[in-house]
Amino acid sequence: MTTGLNLYFDGAITTERNNYDWESIGKLMYADAGFRTEMLSRNPKSADWMSNASSMEVMEGLMPVAVSSGVGSWAGTRFLSTNSAASGAIAYGNVNDPFLIYAQRAKPYENYLDVVLHGSPRGVWYRPDMMIDHRVLANLIRNSPQFAGQPIRLLSCNTGRLADGFAKNLSNALGVGVRAPEDIIWAFPDGKLSIGPTYIGGKSFVNFSVGIKK
Amino acid sequence: MDYNMNNWPFQWFGFWKEYGIGYENCPSMHNFIDIEANSRYNKPALISYLKHSSILVTTSGANFPSPISGKVGNKEVSIKTDGKWLWFDAIILSIEFDGLVIPTRWYNEIEAKGFNCGTVTEDMIAGLNWPPLNS
């Protein structure tokens, strides 16, 4: 727990008081009830910041790097980020999540960059109680040191299920090809992956290209 | 299949036909709801046992809402084992909130072990009884 530290924002949560990003704080207050309570108790003006922030959709640009936090439901939780993921992959979520751990052991596919997180046909989970859209993930990937314009393999359930769903939109947002599972993805401790409604598999990855439906 | 907590000849558990495609040969979770029996469990010890056993394979909990309450886990869910039994740990939420019971034979074994899973070996894993799922 880091409760008691003075935490501020300058695009990411930080302990340094510079470049306050009140708009981002307001947006995050929408997304996280614990953080909202904390901010309202710290500064009455934060109610105005929140009322000026319209929705999570405009969180693009927020939190390029996640750090340990001492506020609200973030308290004491470490999140995987571009800086702490295993070499050759990016993962977002709780560091102890076995899905993220095992999926990062997957055999690489060609020159694709693996991005590992829990997902759905229309959104992905940046952390267990925060779903983000393709624009936010695109921004996070763009800010990752592992990303150098290579195509992306999403190890994230159902993100390739829809022709106009998450993977397609991510491909357009990033301007690179995206390969994503058309069903649930299962990860074994040795890094083996299977795709399907059960662990037996039977489904596959789907390729999405910029500007063209699959 | 007319299975229930006192009539369960298998050593796998927690896969329900309500999950849909691929799970057609599994029982209904409704046959394993017994709020009175559930209330007699040493629930903290049982849940700890179910949570801290060996993982065989894992995925996202959001794919497996409770067939009873619709409650969705917001973390991973895993197929786990204690070396003899194999289970889908989405059952943990249902034991906590839906009145789900596990096979009596299994609960008695867990209780007899003092809710201590012990070491799971590769030989044990090789001998596990897996559910009849379809791809």
Side-chain angles (χ1 to χ4, degrees):
Chain A
M1 291 279 287
T2 53
T3 302
L5 286 179
N6 290 317
L7 295 169
Y8 306 99
F9 276 84
D10 58 357
I13 300 172
T14 176
T15 55
E16 295 179 13
R17 185 192 285 266
N18 54 20
N19 298 324
Y20 297 172
D21 185 351
W22 306 128
E23 186 184 353
S24 291
I25 293 174
K27 290 164 191 167
L28 191 55
M29 288 171 71
Y30 259 113
D32 187 316
F35 182 71
R36 180 164 61 243
T37 303
E38 173 72 18
M39 288 308 298
L40 289 171
S41 72
R42 285 179 177 217
N43 191 330
K45 288 182 181 175
S46 62
D48 294 333
W49 309 333
M50 190 174 75
S51 69
N52 291 332
S54 55
S55 73
M56 267 190 71
E57 190 175 326
V58 286
M59 280 179 62
E60 189 169 11
L62 178 65
M63 296 183 300
V65 177
V67 297
S68 298
S69 165
V71 293
S73 58
W74 298 57
T77 303
R78 275 189 67 221
F79 301 103
L80 289 175
S81 73
T82 53
N83 287 342
S84 61
S87 170
I90 305 172
Y92 300 103
N94 193 307
V95 289
N96 298 318
D97 185 322
F99 175 78
L100 303 185
I101 295 168
Y102 299 163
Q104 287 183 85
R105 297 173 183 164
K107 184 181 171 188
Y109 179 76
E110 297 180 353
N111 66 329
Y112 281 64
L113 173 63
D114 282 345
V115 176
V116 185
L117 71 175
H118 292 294
S120 74
R122 294 285 184 194
V124 292
W125 278 270
Y126 178 72
R127 60 188 178 93
D129 56 352
M130 181 184 281
M131 182 172 265
I132 59 175
D133 67 14
H134 61 279
R135 283 165 289 199
V136 177
L137 183 62
N139 215 37
L140 291 165
I141 293 171
R142 249 185 242 113
N143 283 299
S144 159
Q146 290 100 322
F147 182 65
Q150 69 271 53
I152 299 295
R153 181 172 68 165
L154 278 174
L155 303 184
S156 183
C157 288
N158 294 305
T159 45
R161 183 180 284 268
L162 303 175
D164 62 347
F166 191 86
K168 174 62 186 168
N169 291 329
L170 181 67
S171 175
N172 283 340
L174 269 178
V176 302
V178 172
R179 183 171 169 81
E182 61 178 340
D183 209 305
I184 296 169
I185 186 164
W186 302 78
F188 292 77
D190 63 359
K192 181 189 161 200
L193 303 173
S194 67
I195 298 169
T198 75
Y199 69 90
I200 296 169
K203 297 291 185 72
S204 59
F205 283 98
V206 180
N207 292 320
F208 295 85
S209 303
V210 179
I212 304 167
K213 289 189 177 179
K214 71 175 177 176
Chain B
M1 289 189 292
D2 197 18
Y3 296 117
N4 57 50
M5 64 186 287
N6 295 314
N7 176 28
W8 185 251
F10 313 107
Q11 286 173 187
W12 55 266
F13 189 70
F15 303 85
W16 314 115
K17 71 178 181 184
E18 288 86 358
Y19 289 152
I21 294 170
Y23 298 84
E24 297 88 345
N25 298 322
C26 299
S28 169
M29 184 196 256
H30 292 271
N31 293 348
F32 290 85
I33 300 298
D34 185 332
I35 291 170
E36 199 275 328
N38 172 286
S39 71
R40 292 196 300 269
Y41 283 163
N42 180 344
K43 219 170 279 183
L46 175 62
I47 287 169
S48 176
Y49 183 96
L50 296 173
K51 274 184 179 172
H52 297 112
S53 298
S54 297
I55 296 173
L56 298 167
V57 59
T58 186
T59 186
S60 296
N63 299 310
F64 296 95
S66 163
I68 302 296
S69 63
K71 194 176 280 289
V72 179
N74 62 357
K75 298 177 182 173
E76 83 290 348
V77 289
S78 302
I79 299 176
K80 289 183 175 163
T81 185
D82 56 13
K84 179 178 178 183
W85 287 77
L86 171 157
W87 64 94
F88 197 34
D89 72 1
I91 62 173
I92 292 171
L93 266 184
S94 291
I95 290 170
E96 286 185 289
F97 300 108
D98 299 334
L100 180 74
V101 289
I102 67 174
T104 304
R105 185 166 53 96
W106 185 26
Y107 185 82
N108 291 341
E109 287 179 20
I110 293 171
E111 196 174 39
K113 290 196 289 185
F115 297 93
N116 183 359
C117 183
T119 304
V120 176
T121 66
E122 290 297 321
D123 285 346
M124 289 174 171
I125 291 173
L128 289 171
N129 171 216
W130 286 77
L133 306 181
N134 302 311
S135 59

